């Protein structure tokens, strides 16, 4: 199974609810409704995903999303939707509109895999769903990006963000960007404003960004509107592009109705800012003789790169739903295609980090068994001999796993939501010999990790 899929499944918090869908020409779901995350349901997922029927065809995500949104929300369980896709769809607008319609009850985090993924779909779903969009191509590792979005999903969102202005009488302000409805910790957003009017060189104004956080009202102020010298028009064109995009969306929503002059506004703004739009085009000019290039317009079909079949998923946070996209001859697990009627090719040696991740239980602990000792690079005898007498096997195994992560895989620390869950499980055990286990574990593994670094 792919590393990113495994990471995401193993990192879900205890007490959440989840489901898994597969979609291609049609869709399937593993459970009739969202089920509570536990060791039993997690193991059931790993088995059932392999049994999903392959169906090579168009990527049709709309019906699976409709079924997901039709499921009732569970009180005190905010929904998070994770979408992974490597293809194009023919109904991007309908999918984005569906996400927008349900944006008040969930956040949507989307992932585009490979060169063939639809950027309009990925960016549109994340934007309208108040989530975050990620793209991976070439040799990019998906795990860090998946974990970054998962961290966003697990953080409370900042809502009711407002911007107020204190300006000289001669200056007016126009908002060019859509309003920000939600913002997660670690996420950023850009808001473009247009200031109109003329003031003296010594004139100042201010604006305040106000939002509630942890039952407190936060206010951040910035001052001075004096423009930078020789700043160019880059920022102006970015702002124009943002406004053009918003107007294009408005024109699309009004298709077949009176658009209220939206198209004319887009054309005027596009020409003034020299930023292309869906209603304008720019003529190529030969710079050597400054003449317009003549000739008929030619339509060229540019093929997109065909990525390998990739495991896909879609899911909510406290109600997680994962979508797995099948392929004709099987499912792609970690780069090795599992065939339906052919011999399974010889697998390369497993990554110790992925092996350790796969052994963690849904509760957050590890069991002391030969598979864990092999992942740690030790024998059963060495591990058993070093175990403090009063320590339980689960506490000892979990502390060893945490020490190994901190001692040998610090470069992957951003992907350690499973380590947070393990530390939480250890604290809940209220074990009397944690310090002794940490000291013994450091000696066994040849590390020098402090107890505080483990979150204990």
């Amino acid at each position: 199974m792919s590393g990113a899929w495994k990471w995401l499944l193993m990192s879900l918090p205890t007490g959440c609810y989840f489901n898994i869908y597969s979609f291609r020409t049609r869709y399937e779901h593993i459970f009739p409704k969202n089920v509570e995350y536990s060791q039993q349901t997690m193991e059931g997922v790993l088995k059932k995903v392999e049994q999903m029927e392959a169906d090579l065809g168009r990527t049709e995500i709309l019906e699976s999303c409709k079924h997901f949104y039709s499921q009732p929300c569970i009180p005190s369980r905010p929904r998070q939707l994770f979408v992974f896709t490597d293809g194009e769809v023919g109904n991007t607008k309908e999918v984005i509109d569906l996400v927008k319609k349900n944006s008040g009850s969930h956040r949507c985090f989307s992932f585009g895999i490979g060169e063939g993924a639809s950027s309009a779909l990925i960016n549109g779903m994340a934007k309208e769903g108040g989530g975050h969009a990620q793209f991976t191509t070439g040799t990019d590792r998906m795990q860090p990006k998946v974990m970054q979005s998962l961290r966003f999903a697990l953080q409370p969102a900042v809502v009711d963000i407002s911007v107020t202005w204190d300006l000289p009488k001669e200056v007016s302000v126009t908002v060019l960007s859509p309003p920000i409805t939600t913002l997660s910790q670690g996420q950023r957003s850009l808001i473009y404003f247009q200031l109109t009017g003329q003031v003296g060189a010594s004139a100042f104004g201010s604006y305040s960004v106000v939002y509630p956080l942890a039952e407190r009202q936060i206010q951040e102020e910035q001052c001075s509107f004096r423009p930078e010298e020789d700043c160019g028009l880059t920022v102006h064109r970015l702002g124009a592009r943002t406004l053009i995009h918003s107007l294009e969306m408005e024109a699309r929503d009004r298709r077949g109705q009176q658009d209220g002059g939206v198209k004319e506004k887009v054309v005027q703004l596009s020409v003034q800012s020299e930023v292309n739009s869906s209603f304008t085009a720019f003529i190529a000019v030969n710079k050597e003789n400054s003449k317009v290039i003549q000739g008929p317009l030619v339509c060229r079909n540019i093929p997109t790169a065909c990525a390998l079949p990739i495991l896909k998923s879609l899911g909510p946070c406290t109600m997680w739903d994962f979508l797995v996209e099948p392929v004709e001859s099987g499912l792609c697990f970690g780069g090795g295609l599992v065939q339906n009627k052919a011999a399974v090719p010889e697998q390369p040696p497993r990554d110790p980090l992925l092996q350790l991740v796969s052994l963690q239980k849904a509760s957050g602990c590890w069991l002391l068994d030969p598979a864990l000792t092999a992942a740690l690079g030790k024998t059963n005898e060495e591990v058993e001999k070093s175990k403090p007498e009063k320590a339980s096997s689960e506490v000892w195994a979990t502390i060893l796993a945490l020490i190994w992560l901190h001692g040998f895989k610090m470069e992957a620390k951003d992907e350690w939501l499973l380590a947070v869950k393990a530390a939480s499980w250890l604290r809940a055990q209220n074990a009397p010999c944690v310090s002794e286990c940490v000291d013994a574990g450091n000696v066994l593994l040849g590390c020098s990790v402090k107890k505080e670094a483990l979150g204990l």
Side-chain angles (χ1 to χ4, degrees), residues 62 65-66 69-70 79 93-106 108 124-125 127-130:
L62 182 61
C65 286
K66 286 181 178 179
Y69 290 124
S70 70
R79 286 200 294 192
K93 177 184 181 300
E94 289 80 1
V95 175
I96 294 175
D97 288 346
L98 182 62
V99 174
K100 182 178 181 180
K101 180 180 178 181
N102 293 275
S103 60
S105 63
H106 83 299
C108 179
M125 293 185 74
K127 178 181 178 182
E128 298 300 343

Side-chain angles (χ1 to χ4, degrees), residues 368 373 379-388 393 396 444:
L368 192 60
T373 58
T379 65
N380 294 337
E381 292 76 14
E382 289 175 314
V383 173
E384 287 287 354
K385 184 179 179 179
S386 301
K387 183 177 80 69
S393 296
W396 173 235
L444 175 63

Side-chain angles (χ1 to χ4, degrees), residues 360-406:
Q360 189 185 36
K361 300 302 178 181
S363 63
C365 73
W366 276 267
L367 300 182
L368 192 60
D369 57 23
L372 176 64
T373 58
L376 298 175
K378 299 296 178 179
T379 65
N380 294 337
E381 292 76 14
E382 289 175 314
V383 173
E384 287 287 354
K385 184 179 179 179
S386 301
K387 183 177 80 69
E389 183 178 355
K390 295 182 180 180
S392 69
S393 296
E394 290 82 2
V395 169
W396 173 235
T398 304
I399 289 178
L400 285 178
L402 286 177
I403 292 175
W404 188 89
L405 288 170
H406 283 80

Side-chain angles (χ1 to χ4, degrees), residues 33 76 115 118 136 157 187 214 219 260-261 292 328 334 378 380 383 419 422:
K33 61 179 182 179
S76 72
E115 302 291 345
S118 170
T136 58
Q187 193 177 5
Q219 180 168 315
V292 175
E328 187 173 27
K378 299 296 178 179
N380 294 337
V383 173

Side-chain angles (χ1 to χ4, degrees), residues 166-171 199-207 222-226:
D166 181 13
L167 300 173
K169 294 182 180 180
E170 301 86 356
V171 180
V199 295
S202 60
F204 286 87
S206 67
Y207 64 89
Q222 300 289 335
C223 301
S224 178
F225 298 123
R226 184 177 299 173

Side-chain angles (χ1 to χ4, degrees), residues 43 96 121 195 199 214 317 381 429:
E43 291 178 350
I96 294 175
L121 177 69
L195 299 178
V199 295
C317 159
E381 292 76 14
Q429 305 311 302

